[in-house]
Amino acid sequence: MACGLRYSDVLIAGILRRVRTIAMVGASPNWKRPSNFAMKYLQEKGYRVIPVNPRAAAAGASILGERARASLAEVPAPVEMVDVFRGSDAALEITREAIRLRVEKGFEVVWMQLGVRNDEAAAEAEAAGLTVIMNRCPKIEYGRLWGELGWGGFDRGVISSRWPRPVKRDERAG
Amino acid sequence: MTEETPAPEGGTASDWGFETRMIHAGAGPDPVSGSRQIPIHQTSAYAFHDVDHAASLFNLQTFGFIYSRLGNPTVASLEQRIASLEGGCGATCAASGHAAQVLAFFPLIEAGERFAASNKLYGGSVTQFSRTFPKFDWHCDFVDTEDLSAVEAVLAQGAKALFVESLANPGGVVTDLETLAGLTRAAGALLIVDNTLATPWLCRPFEWGADLIVHSATKFLSGNGTVIGGAVVDSGRFDWSASGRFPGLSEPEPAYHGLKFSETFGELAFTVHSHAVGLRDLGASMAPMNAFLTLLGTETLALRMERHCRNALAVAEWLTEHPKVQWVSYAGLPTSPYRELAEKYLPNGAGAVFTFGVRGGYEAGVRVVEKCELFSHLANIGDARSLIIHPASTTHRQLTDEQRAAAGAGPEVVRLSIGLETVDDLVRDLDNALAAA
């Protein structure tokens, strides 16, 4: 697919296999918002997704059954991945917070959503030992690598003559 | 800021070669049975896991199948394959090439709006755009795409897209895609390319800046004259949200609770919309059996196109020497005015569909067609069999004299679609027919 950044399938698949819990910064309680779509899909695939949304947290709201948190600092450890569902400008501050909390929370990956790119944030995160993915959606990548995206007529770029094995929750740790 | 960050490890699967993708793209073993060839999913509808799963599907929150008007696993395999071969993001198959053209314009053109199209098009497309589309209040301005100031003028008047054929039917005209893509991009319009005659083996319009590609899968993609089918392929590169000219893709869709396709699906927006809204409401879906036959065809696309082109060049060269032949319009000939464009856009060959002018005008053209024994007289192209037709009395019959002349379908014109037979037999058959003309 046409994209400015290139990441290998091995890298993306490795992240999606390893990660169990995702902190989604900018997750919306409105079911018509893209972040809500992605959160619901990732939950269906067995990930725990913890929404970070100050307004929802202040109202004591839950999103798709998970209590909203006001900031990354309030997310219960361990969380392997921070998914940035905010604009590119906001990504730097979120990434710096993720770097600060990296050891305490167990963050390994900073993932910026489709349309979100901040090269300064990426450089700082990588220097701190975090893996960075930008301008990608984990829902789309999951569907692309494990077949479901093809159901919509999309080129997955994946070719294999092996009997396909869906990724299972218990495989992700290894 | 670097535009290309090197892959940290391994490669990306899109590095697979063309021939590998024409066999394998969209076609892994079936996850349930292990069936290696794509199963023909001859079903109207699909069971839901539960009510929540059904809701997710209807809300477009998850991937999956509801009803074969909107999507079918066999058809989806073909969509993936065509998207891969064209280097596109996604594809939507349709019941025919003409259905694909309606699907291509459907998200783009609102009632009362305009698009532009080359005046050198398949006659059926000219009729569709000029006669039927106005009933939807969609309006087409035909333009000579070799006259760049005319193209600029029509884009400046508000045309939201320019539609061209990469290799024009019926005869030997190659379109300067890169130049036209520059003009459409500057005007905030789309370049839509019908790549039916070239196929992605000969020409890949996305590499030259096209935004959408349409196909008649009836032709070389299936290749055996068995299928009626079509496809729209999206490059995934047009920024619908930034443009603001395409509210169908960037503004809330009432039938999906106000969902904005471009915001929710990014580069997938056009193809999601084509299935979820286009096929849903226009209903011109491809049958699974036709998708299966087209999948079989694509497995040998490169091999067939090589032979199609080699035979076509040999027949075209022979015709240029024939005393009863006035002219031959084949972009692969050294004398063609399109030779330079053919070398740029069609380096693997100039296709297998071309025209020649027979001395003696309309009557002589009709006689050549009727005297052939091996060439089939029928209104199709892109078959393993060689085909012949007299456009003025058939495919371009519904056009005016002026439209016929512009389209290269004058009274003396005979169109050939060269097949995969022994080339000497093709030459002998034409020789006999010309002798009798």
Side-chain angles (χ1 to χ4, degrees), chain A residues 23-97:
Chain A
M24 185 179 280
V25 184
S28 170
N30 179 348
W31 74 265
K32 296 167 209 165
R33 300 298 303 159
S35 58
N36 196 284
F37 272 43
M39 181 171 168
K40 185 173 184 192
Y41 182 85
L42 292 169
Q43 284 180 326
E44 281 168 10
K45 298 302 166 194
Y47 297 93
R48 182 176 181 202
V49 184
I50 300 169
V52 176
N53 180 327
R55 206 185 310 171
S62 288
I63 299 173
L64 294 167
E66 286 282 355
R67 188 158 65 78
R69 317 285 167 146
S71 69
L72 282 177
E74 293 181 18
V75 168
V79 172
E80 297 83 22
M81 180 164 127
V82 176
D83 185 8
V84 182
F85 238 113
R86 296 279 310 279
S88 296
D89 294 341
L92 182 61
E93 193 188 330
I94 294 163
T95 302
R96 284 179 175 162
E97 194 182 3

Side-chain angles (χ1 to χ4, degrees), chain B residues 189-279:
Chain B
L190 276 86
L191 180 61
I192 306 175
V193 178
D194 181 339
N195 203 31
T196 298
L197 262 66
T199 80
W201 170 243
L202 297 177
C203 178
R204 283 184 291 280
F206 290 149
E207 294 175 6
W208 303 107
D211 300 292
L212 296 176
I213 292 172
V214 296
H215 273 285
S216 169
T218 308
K219 313 303 185 315
F220 295 102
L221 287 181
S222 55
N224 294 89
T226 52
V227 163
I228 296 292
V232 191
V233 195
D234 178 28
S235 66
R237 290 192 299 239
F238 199 91
D239 190 337
W240 313 106
S241 299
S243 161
R245 292 183 80 193
F246 300 93
L249 290 161
S250 62
E251 295 303 311
E253 164 64 39
Y256 284 104
H257 309 278
L259 177 144
K260 297 176 185 173
F261 278 81
S262 58
E263 179 191 54
T264 306
F265 299 109
E267 65 183 10
L268 312 180
F270 184 93
T271 301
V272 175
H273 189 281
S274 292
H275 289 88
V277 182
L279 288 177

Side-chain angles (χ1 to χ4, degrees), chain B residues 84-305:
Chain B
S84 172
L85 295 180
E86 286 290 8
C89 168
T92 310
C93 282
S96 68
H98 259 37
Q101 288 176 180
V102 180
L103 267 186
F105 286 108
F106 179 65
L108 310 178
I109 311 291
E110 306 295 322
E113 293 186 331
R114 314 192 73 81
F115 68 98
S118 167
N119 61 3
K120 296 182 193 65
L121 292 185
Y122 161 52
S125 296
V126 174
T127 307
Q128 185 189 38
F129 295 170
S130 62
R131 301 281 172 218
T132 293
F133 277 15
K135 295 185 177 184
F136 308 152
D137 206 8
W138 297 351
H139 302 278
C140 178
D141 299 303
F142 292 94
V143 61
D144 177 359
T145 55
E146 290 168 37
D147 180 350
L148 298 182
S149 54
V151 173
E152 282 180 313
V154 77
L155 290 171
Q157 287 157 20
K160 293 175 78 178
L162 174 65
F163 183 99
V164 301
E165 295 175 358
S166 50
L167 179 59
N169 178 6
V173 174
V174 183
T175 303
D176 189 353
L177 300 178
E178 190 175 24
T179 300
L180 293 175
L183 298 184
T184 53
R185 198 177 307 118
L190 276 86
L191 180 61
I192 306 175
V193 178
D194 181 339
N195 203 31
T196 298
L197 262 66
T199 80
W201 170 243
L202 297 177
C203 178
R204 283 184 291 280
F206 290 149
E207 294 175 6
W208 303 107
D211 300 292
L212 296 176
I213 292 172
V214 296
H215 273 285
S216 169
T218 308
K219 313 303 185 315
F220 295 102
L221 287 181
S222 55
N224 294 89
T226 52
V227 163
I228 296 292
V232 191
V233 195
D234 178 28
S235 66
R237 290 192 299 239
F238 199 91
D239 190 337
W240 313 106
S241 299
S243 161
R245 292 183 80 193
F246 300 93
L249 290 161
S250 62
E251 295 303 311
E253 164 64 39
Y256 284 104
H257 309 278
L259 177 144
K260 297 176 185 173
F261 278 81
S262 58
E263 179 191 54
T264 306
F265 299 109
E267 65 183 10
L268 312 180
F270 184 93
T271 301
V272 175
H273 189 281
S274 292
H275 289 88
V277 182
L279 288 177
R280 183 196 68 191
D281 291 349
L282 299 168
S285 317
M286 180 183 268
M289 185 67 193
N290 285 349
F292 178 76
L293 291 169
T294 309
L295 282 161
L296 290 188
T298 57
E299 291 190 358
T300 56
L301 181 64
L303 288 173
R304 290 186 290 106
M305 291 314 291

